[in-house]
Coordinates of all heavy atoms in Angstrom, one line a residue:
M36 N -0.1 7.5 -35.7 CA 0.3 7.3 -37.1 C -0.8 7.9 -38.0 O -1.9 7.6 -37.8 CB 0.6 5.9 -37.3 CG 0.9 5.6 -38.8 SD 1.0 3.9 -39.3 CE 1.6 3.0 -37.9
K37 N -0.4 8.8 -38.8 CA -1.3 9.4 -39.8 C -1.6 8.4 -40.9 O -0.7 7.8 -41.4 CB -0.7 10.7 -40.4 CG -1.7 11.4 -41.2 CD -1.2 12.9 -41.6 CE -2.3 13.5 -42.5 NZ -1.8 14.9 -42.8
M38 N -2.9 8.2 -41.2 CA -3.3 7.3 -42.2 C -3.7 8.0 -43.5 O -4.0 9.2 -43.5 CB -4.5 6.5 -41.7 CG -4.3 5.7 -40.5 SD -3.2 4.4 -40.8 CE -3.6 3.2 -39.6
T39 N -3.6 7.3 -44.6 CA -4.1 7.8 -45.9 C -4.9 6.8 -46.6 O -4.8 5.6 -46.2 CB -2.9 8.2 -46.8 OG1 -3.3 8.8 -48.0 CG2 -2.0 7.0 -47.1
R40 N -5.7 7.2 -47.5 CA -6.6 6.2 -48.2 C -6.0 5.7 -49.5 O -5.2 6.4 -50.1 CB -8.0 6.8 -48.4 CG -8.7 7.2 -47.2 CD -10.2 7.4 -47.5 NE -10.9 7.7 -46.2 CZ -11.4 6.7 -45.5 NH1 -11.3 5.5 -45.8 NH2 -12.0 7.1 -44.3
L41 N -6.4 4.5 -49.9 CA -6.0 3.9 -51.1 C -7.2 3.3 -51.8 O -7.9 2.5 -51.1 CB -4.9 2.8 -50.7 CG -4.4 2.0 -51.8 CD1 -3.6 2.8 -52.8 CD2 -3.5 0.8 -51.3
V42 N -7.3 3.5 -53.0 CA -8.4 2.9 -53.8 C -7.8 1.8 -54.7 O -6.9 2.1 -55.4 CB -9.2 3.9 -54.6 CG1 -10.2 3.3 -55.5 CG2 -9.7 5.0 -53.8
V43 N -8.3 0.5 -54.6 CA -7.8 -0.6 -55.3 C -8.9 -1.2 -56.0 O -9.9 -1.5 -55.5 CB -7.1 -1.6 -54.3 CG1 -6.6 -2.7 -55.1 CG2 -6.0 -0.9 -53.5
Q44 N -8.7 -1.6 -57.3 CA -9.6 -2.4 -58.0 C -9.3 -3.8 -58.0 O -8.1 -4.2 -58.1 CB -9.7 -1.9 -59.5 CG -10.2 -0.5 -59.7 CD -10.3 -0.1 -61.1 OE1 -9.5 -0.5 -61.9 NE2 -11.3 0.8 -61.5
L45 N -10.3 -4.7 -57.7 CA -10.1 -6.1 -57.6 C -11.0 -6.9 -58.6 O -12.0 -6.4 -58.9 CB -10.4 -6.6 -56.2 CG -9.7 -6.0 -55.1 CD1 -10.2 -6.5 -53.8 CD2 -8.2 -6.4 -55.2
P46 N -10.5 -8.0 -59.1 CA -11.4 -8.9 -59.9 C -12.5 -9.4 -59.0 O -12.4 -9.4 -57.7 CB -10.5 -10.1 -60.2 CG -9.0 -9.6 -60.0 CD -9.1 -8.6 -59.0
K47 N -13.7 -9.7 -59.5 CA -14.8 -10.1 -58.8 C -14.5 -11.2 -57.9 O -15.1 -11.4 -56.8 CB -16.0 -10.3 -59.8 CG -16.6 -9.1 -60.3 CD -17.8 -9.4 -61.1 CE -18.4 -8.1 -61.6 NZ -19.7 -8.3 -62.3
N48 N -13.8 -12.2 -58.4 CA -13.6 -13.4 -57.5 C -12.7 -13.0 -56.2 O -13.0 -13.6 -55.1 CB -12.8 -14.5 -58.3 CG -11.4 -14.1 -58.8 OD1 -11.2 -13.0 -59.0 ND2 -10.6 -15.1 -59.0
L49 N -11.8 -12.2 -56.3 CA -11.1 -11.7 -55.1 C -11.9 -10.9 -54.2 O -11.9 -11.0 -52.9 CB -9.8 -10.9 -55.5 CG -8.7 -11.7 -55.9 CD1 -7.5 -10.7 -56.3 CD2 -8.2 -12.7 -54.9
K50 N -12.8 -10.1 -54.8 CA -13.7 -9.3 -53.9 C -14.7 -10.2 -53.2 O -15.0 -10.0 -52.1 CB -14.5 -8.3 -54.8 CG -15.6 -7.5 -54.1 CD -15.0 -6.5 -53.1 CE -16.0 -5.6 -52.6 NZ -16.7 -5.9 -51.5
A51 N -15.1 -11.3 -53.9 CA -16.1 -12.2 -53.2 C -15.3 -12.9 -52.0 O -15.9 -13.1 -51.0 CB -16.5 -13.2 -54.2
K52 N -14.1 -13.2 -52.2 CA -13.3 -13.8 -51.0 C -13.0 -12.8 -49.9 O -13.2 -13.2 -48.8 CB -12.0 -14.4 -51.6 CG -12.0 -15.6 -52.5 CD -10.7 -16.0 -53.1 CE -10.9 -17.1 -54.0 NZ -9.6 -17.6 -54.6
L53 N -12.8 -11.6 -50.3 CA -12.6 -10.6 -49.3 C -13.9 -10.3 -48.5 O -14.0 -10.2 -47.3 CB -12.2 -9.2 -50.0 CG -11.7 -8.2 -49.2 CD1 -10.5 -8.6 -48.3 CD2 -11.3 -7.0 -50.0
D54 N -15.1 -10.4 -49.2 CA -16.4 -10.2 -48.6 C -16.7 -11.5 -47.6 O -17.2 -11.3 -46.6 CB -17.5 -10.2 -49.6 CG -17.6 -8.9 -50.4 OD1 -16.9 -7.9 -49.9 OD2 -18.1 -8.9 -51.5
A55 N -16.3 -12.6 -48.0 CA -16.4 -13.8 -47.1 C -15.5 -13.6 -45.8 O -16.0 -14.0 -44.8 CB -15.9 -15.0 -47.9
E56 N -14.4 -13.0 -45.9 CA -13.6 -12.8 -44.7 C -14.2 -11.8 -43.9 O -14.1 -11.8 -42.7 CB -12.1 -12.3 -45.2 CG -11.2 -13.5 -45.6 CD -11.0 -14.5 -44.7 OE1 -10.6 -14.2 -43.6 OE2 -11.2 -15.7 -45.0
R57 N -14.9 -10.8 -44.5 CA -15.6 -9.7 -43.7 C -16.7 -10.4 -42.9 O -16.9 -10.0 -41.7 CB -16.3 -8.8 -44.7 CG -17.2 -7.8 -44.1 CD -16.5 -6.6 -43.7 NE -17.4 -5.6 -43.1 CZ -17.2 -4.6 -42.5 NH1 -15.8 -4.2 -42.4 NH2 -18.1 -3.7 -42.1
K58 N -17.3 -11.4 -43.4 CA -18.4 -12.1 -42.7 C -17.8 -12.9 -41.4 O -18.5 -13.1 -40.4 CB -19.2 -13.1 -43.6 CG -20.1 -12.4 -44.5 CD -20.8 -13.3 -45.4 CE -21.6 -12.6 -46.5 NZ -22.3 -13.5 -47.4
R59 N -16.6 -13.2 -41.5 CA -15.9 -13.8 -40.4 C -15.3 -12.8 -39.4 O -14.6 -13.2 -38.4 CB -14.7 -14.7 -40.9 CG -15.2 -15.9 -41.7 CD -14.1 -16.8 -42.0 NE -14.5 -17.7 -43.2 CZ -13.9 -17.8 -44.3 NH1 -12.8 -17.1 -44.6 NH2 -14.4 -18.5 -45.3
G60 N -15.4 -11.5 -39.7 CA -15.0 -10.5 -38.8 C -13.7 -9.7 -39.1 O -13.2 -8.9 -38.3
T61 N -13.2 -10.1 -40.3 CA -11.9 -9.4 -40.7 C -12.3 -8.3 -41.7 O -13.0 -8.5 -42.6 CB -11.0 -10.4 -41.5 OG1 -10.7 -11.6 -40.6 CG2 -9.8 -9.8 -41.9
T62 N -11.8 -7.1 -41.4 CA -12.1 -6.0 -42.3 C -11.1 -6.0 -43.5 O -10.1 -6.6 -43.4 CB -12.0 -4.6 -41.6 OG1 -10.5 -4.4 -41.3 CG2 -12.8 -4.5 -40.4
A63 N -11.6 -5.5 -44.6 CA -10.7 -5.5 -45.8 C -9.5 -4.6 -45.5 O -8.4 -5.1 -45.8 CB -11.6 -4.8 -47.0
A64 N -9.6 -3.5 -44.9 CA -8.5 -2.6 -44.5 C -7.5 -3.4 -43.6 O -6.3 -3.3 -43.9 CB -9.0 -1.3 -43.9
G65 N -8.1 -4.1 -42.6 CA -7.2 -4.8 -41.6 C -6.4 -5.9 -42.4 O -5.3 -6.1 -42.2
L66 N -7.1 -6.6 -43.3 CA -6.4 -7.7 -44.0 C -5.4 -7.2 -44.9 O -4.2 -7.7 -45.0 CB -7.4 -8.6 -44.8 CG -6.9 -9.7 -45.6 CD1 -6.2 -10.8 -44.7 CD2 -8.0 -10.4 -46.3
I67 N -5.7 -6.1 -45.7 CA -4.8 -5.6 -46.7 C -3.5 -5.0 -45.9 O -2.4 -5.2 -46.3 CB -5.4 -4.6 -47.6 CG1 -6.5 -5.3 -48.4 CG2 -4.4 -3.8 -48.4 CD1 -7.4 -4.4 -49.1
R68 N -3.8 -4.3 -44.8 CA -2.7 -3.7 -44.0 C -1.8 -4.8 -43.5 O -0.6 -4.7 -43.6 CB -3.3 -2.9 -42.8 CG -2.3 -2.0 -42.2 CD -3.0 -1.0 -41.2 NE -4.3 -1.3 -40.7 CZ -5.4 -0.7 -41.0 NH1 -5.4 0.2 -41.8 NH2 -6.5 -1.1 -40.5
H69 N -2.4 -5.9 -43.0 CA -1.6 -7.0 -42.5 C -0.7 -7.7 -43.6 O 0.5 -7.9 -43.4 CB -2.5 -8.1 -41.9 CG -1.9 -9.3 -41.6 ND1 -1.1 -9.5 -40.5 CD2 -1.9 -10.6 -42.2 CE1 -0.6 -10.8 -40.4 NE2 -1.1 -11.4 -41.5
L70 N -1.3 -7.9 -44.7 CA -0.6 -8.5 -45.8 C 0.6 -7.6 -46.3 O 1.6 -8.1 -46.6 CB -1.5 -8.9 -47.0 CG -2.5 -10.0 -46.7 CD1 -3.5 -10.1 -47.8 CD2 -1.9 -11.3 -46.4
L71 N 0.3 -6.3 -46.4 CA 1.3 -5.4 -46.8 C 2.5 -5.3 -45.8 O 3.7 -5.4 -46.1 CB 0.8 -4.0 -47.0 CG -0.1 -3.8 -48.3 CD1 -0.8 -2.4 -48.2 CD2 0.9 -3.9 -49.5
E72 N 2.1 -5.3 -44.5 CA 3.2 -5.3 -43.5 C 4.0 -6.6 -43.5 O 5.3 -6.5 -43.5 CB 2.6 -5.1 -42.0 CG 2.1 -3.7 -41.8 CD 1.4 -3.6 -40.5 OE1 1.2 -4.6 -39.8 OE2 0.9 -2.4 -40.2
Q73 N 3.3 -7.7 -43.7 CA 4.0 -9.0 -43.8 C 5.0 -9.0 -45.0 O 6.1 -9.5 -44.9 CB 3.0 -10.1 -43.9 CG 3.4 -11.4 -43.8 CD 2.2 -12.5 -43.9 OE1 1.3 -12.3 -44.6 NE2 2.3 -13.6 -43.1
H74 N 4.4 -8.5 -46.1 CA 5.3 -8.4 -47.4 C 6.5 -7.6 -47.2 O 7.6 -8.1 -47.5 CB 4.4 -7.9 -48.5 CG 5.2 -7.7 -49.7 ND1 5.6 -8.6 -50.6 CD2 5.7 -6.5 -50.3 CE1 6.3 -8.1 -51.6 NE2 6.4 -6.8 -51.5
F75 N 6.3 -6.4 -46.7 CA 7.6 -5.5 -46.5 C 8.4 -6.0 -45.4 O 9.7 -5.8 -45.5 CB 7.1 -4.0 -46.4 CG 6.5 -3.6 -47.7 CD1 5.2 -3.1 -47.8 CD2 7.3 -3.4 -48.8 CE1 4.6 -2.6 -49.0 CE2 6.8 -2.9 -50.0 CZ 5.5 -2.5 -50.1
N76 N 7.9 -6.6 -44.4 CA 8.8 -7.1 -43.3 C 9.6 -8.2 -43.8 O 10.8 -8.4 -43.4 CB 8.0 -7.5 -42.0 CG 7.5 -6.3 -41.3 OD1 8.0 -5.2 -41.4 ND2 6.4 -6.5 -40.5
S77 N 9.1 -9.1 -44.6 CA 9.8 -10.2 -45.2 C 10.9 -9.8 -46.1 O 11.9 -10.5 -46.3 CB 8.9 -11.3 -45.8 OG 8.4 -10.7 -47.1
R78 N 10.7 -8.7 -46.8 CA 11.7 -8.1 -47.8 C 12.9 -7.7 -47.0 O 14.0 -7.6 -47.5 CB 11.1 -7.1 -48.6 CG 10.1 -7.6 -49.6 CD 9.6 -6.6 -50.5 NE 10.6 -6.3 -51.5 CZ 10.6 -5.3 -52.3 NH1 9.7 -4.4 -52.2 NH2 11.5 -5.1 -53.1
K79 N 12.7 -7.2 -45.7 CA 13.9 -6.6 -45.0 C 14.9 -7.8 -44.6 O 16.0 -7.6 -44.5 CB 13.4 -5.9 -43.7 CG 12.7 -4.6 -44.0 CD 12.2 -4.0 -42.7 CE 11.4 -2.8 -43.0 NZ 10.9 -2.2 -41.7
V80 N 14.3 -9.0 -44.4 CA 15.1 -10.1 -43.9 C 15.9 -10.6 -45.0 O 17.1 -11.0 -44.9 CB 14.2 -11.2 -43.4 CG1 14.9 -12.4 -43.0 CG2 13.4 -10.7 -42.1
T81 N 15.4 -10.7 -46.3 CA 16.1 -11.3 -47.4 C 17.0 -10.3 -48.0 O 17.0 -9.2 -47.9 CB 15.1 -11.8 -48.5 OG1 14.3 -10.8 -48.9 CG2 14.2 -13.0 -47.8

């Protein structure tokens, strides 16, 4: 699958939470990709 980059601005409080997840081993890209897939997959069902 060919990938493309996306630049997103976040409020500082969300960035801090994202950084905390990074310390637990979750990458920002992986988390965002997972959430987007979850969102779009749920829309197909409804």
